[in-house]
Amino acid sequence: MSDASAPGHHSAPVTELNRSLGLFDVTMVGVGAMIGAGIFALTGIAAGEAGPGLILAFCLNGVLTLCTAMVYAEVGSAVPAAGGGYLWARLGLPGPAAFLAGWMDWLAHAVAGSLYAVIFGAYVVWGAQTIFGWGEPPTGGGHEHGYGTLFGMDAWWIAKGLTLFVCMAFLYINHRGSSETGKAGNIITVAKIVVISIFIAAGAIAMLGDHDPAVGEKFTPFLPEGLSGVLIAMGLTFIAFEGYEIIVQAGEEVVEPRRTIPKAVFLSLLIVIPIYVLVAIVCLGAMTIPADLVAAEGWHASDTWRYLAGLGETGVAVAANEFLPWGTGAILLVIGAVLSTMSALNATTFSSTRVSFAMGRDRVLPARLAHINPKTRTPSAALAASGVIIVAVALLLDAEKVAAATCAMFLLVFAQVNIASIVIRRKYGDKLRYGYLVPGGPVIPIVAAIGQVGIAGWLLSSQPLTLWLTVGWIAAGLLVYYGWSRRQESAHRATPVVFEQAPPRPADAKEMLVPVANPATAGALVDLTVRLAQPDHHITVLNVVRVPEQLPSGATGQFVEAAKKVVDRAIDVAGDEHDLAGLIRVGRSPARCVVDTVNERTVDMLVMGWTGPKRRPMGMRHFTFGTDIDGVIREADCDTLVLKGSVPQKCRRIVVPIAHPRQGRFAVGIARELLSEGGSVEAVRIASHEDDLDAIRESLRDDLAGADQLPGDVQAEAVPADGIVAGILEAASGADLLVLGASDTGLSRRAFTQLHYRVAERWPGPLLLVRMRSGAAKFAAQRTIDFLMSKEPVE
């Protein structure tokens, strides 16, 4: 299943990747990503935060990871397309959340790759210093770990040169294709698992020997920095548990993804989590602090966690050199670290490229990123973009400090995916084929999301630099989204315009839009719009050519000519009083075409028609006036009028039932625009027979006018009745026009309810339903809640 087949995606030609990765290949991709900096770079750093509690931090991260891995296995088996977490956030989260998920995911993987490249350089330099004696390695004293010296000079330059070399090497390997990427990763990953297994076995043997102090003392106190230290260590090392996500990022290149992806996710965790816990145990339990360092720093001989912290990224290698004989520990761990960082760099380069590829394909990033190299079938432009980030961060920034921000973003991305999975199952569950389902419904993803947000918050609050880096990346993403991506995405997904007849439009003109479909009713809609138009208004008449599902979108010529006649006839109704523009769009959904026009032209007022009640088919019962009208109202935030019948040329009595002040005032304003000279607008509020009518009448006047007087052509009345519908019909008896304002439904986007429908169904005369726009902030909140809480409409 490609990205194009995901629910809600427009049918369009898309670029697809080659499926060449089997179960072993894709499992090794995940293992290769996880066994990297988490062991060889961050074990010592995290030990400095949690002490022996690092073991607990690894265990808790494993549990949290397992919960999210279940979610990834579920949605990854159902939507196995390039982009992974970004794609699912786009399906399951509204607004900019999906873009931010992809933005953070892309940068997090790229910067993780930078970290691995830097660690590669550090370990090669440390190996040259320790094994060959070509320089002085860091001592491990305090927390001032660096690169030491090599050949009598600062080793920083050599380490950075090695960093650049390994970045370029793996960019080239990824350019060769996923098959080459998978082969390189498999060899490296299997080799480093062997190396780490030897390390763990040797450490376990060393722990059983004679020690001063005893092994048990090295694990007490177990939480020297308290639970806070454990939480910070969890945040710092969470990057080491994110490799299973890369398995799903490769979904579009996996053979039989619905069966293969869930197996690969769980196999990778089954391999990695025990390795992490065992490495932490042997590092803390088998190391011995040099006596001179104990005296110099004022430590206790059992404070091996402080020694690890001082050694930083080379702590595990120093540990191995202690308890493996004949100096083989340094050799073995340098080989293991080099292989680990190489495979992790390979995997994160692969993943960051696929995220940017998917975002380019969706046009939220430049479309060039979706280019596929015709020879290697790899996204070469996306690879180049990720490569720039990886190399720049590795060479210019302290990647160790950036790692904390990377972890925070991974945590936030995974939390978004957990929430999105709940929405996806509810919205699209009957449209997808799942290879695996998370047991217990939404419980596991909710627990995982809460845990991840909590750890991210704790990490950010304790690390000021991490907080500013994370906030900076997110702020940059929001600027890109609102400044460029949102417009590009809308233009890419917008229904095509096949005809436009546009007279000159003043720059400051307000736009009015009239969708017309039936020539018999188009005149009434245009006449109403012209009567409401002010001199600075510009009116556009829209006709939608609805393309049947079985017909290709391009086969529309015969329909366009008929649509032009409908538009011309509607424009003729306006006469010479207004120059109307004509527009024809093509699409599968008329509502989508109308909404696209509203958004593109920043429409101020929309005037639609309703032909009257019809029998609604099963599955449409939750719509009030039909999929088209309800769909437009939910997606377009502008003043909206829905007309049934035609407004008489002379309206001497217009009745406006009032329930909510804001919508009521708008409805009265529209009614006054249509009122004939000498006529009156009757604003009525329905009351029960027991209510105080005078008090209700006074309250209605206050709602409409506040401290001012009501205009002379507006009367406020309280009408007693046994029911609201019956009361409205009784009050409107004999009126020239009935105007019904929308309901004030809070954060719901259902402006018109079943009450409106029952009145419209039973009222025999002209009816005008009116809704005042919500405003940008409220409409955004309404869209978000509606997206999360409702099911996808079935059109």
Side-chain angles (χ1 to χ4, degrees), residues 30 228 399 537 606 776:
S228 172
H537 281 161
L606 173 67

Side-chain angles (χ1 to χ4, degrees), residues 422-461:
I422 301 171
V423 180
I424 288 171
R425 190 193 285 196
R426 189 183 69 251
K427 278 181 174 289
Y428 314 116
D430 57 345
K431 304 174 182 66
L432 299 173
R433 286 197 301 119
Y434 287 93
Y436 170 82
L437 285 174
V438 177
V443 176
I444 288 178
I446 289 174
V447 170
I450 292 173
Q452 286 153 350
V453 171
I455 295 172
W458 196 275
L459 179 64
L460 293 174
S461 65

Side-chain angles (χ1 to χ4, degrees), residues 14-17 175 353-354 356-363 365-385:
V14 295
T15 48
E16 296 186 355
L17 303 169
H175 172 70
T353 298
R354 270 51 184 181
S356 56
F357 164 80
M359 296 180 76
R361 189 163 61 180
D362 286 343
R363 302 300 192 271
L365 288 178
R368 178 67 182 170
L369 295 176
H371 172 72
I372 297 291
N373 186 295
K375 183 177 180 180
T376 63
R377 300 297 300 165
T378 56
S380 53
L383 178 63

Side-chain angles (χ1 to χ4, degrees), residues 557-575:
Q558 57 181 320
F559 302 107
V560 171
E561 290 304 317
K564 287 181 181 178
K565 295 179 181 178
V566 175
V567 170
D568 290 340
R569 194 173 304 174
I571 291 176
D572 288 342
V573 173

Side-chain angles (χ1 to χ4, degrees), residues 1 3 6-9 79 85-94 98 420 423-424 427-428 432 787:
M1 180 178 182
D3 183 42
H9 199 285
V79 191
Y86 156 69
L87 171 63
W88 308 327
R90 182 170 62 79
L91 292 176
L93 296 176
V423 180
I424 288 171
K427 278 181 174 289
Y428 314 116
L432 299 173
F787 184 94

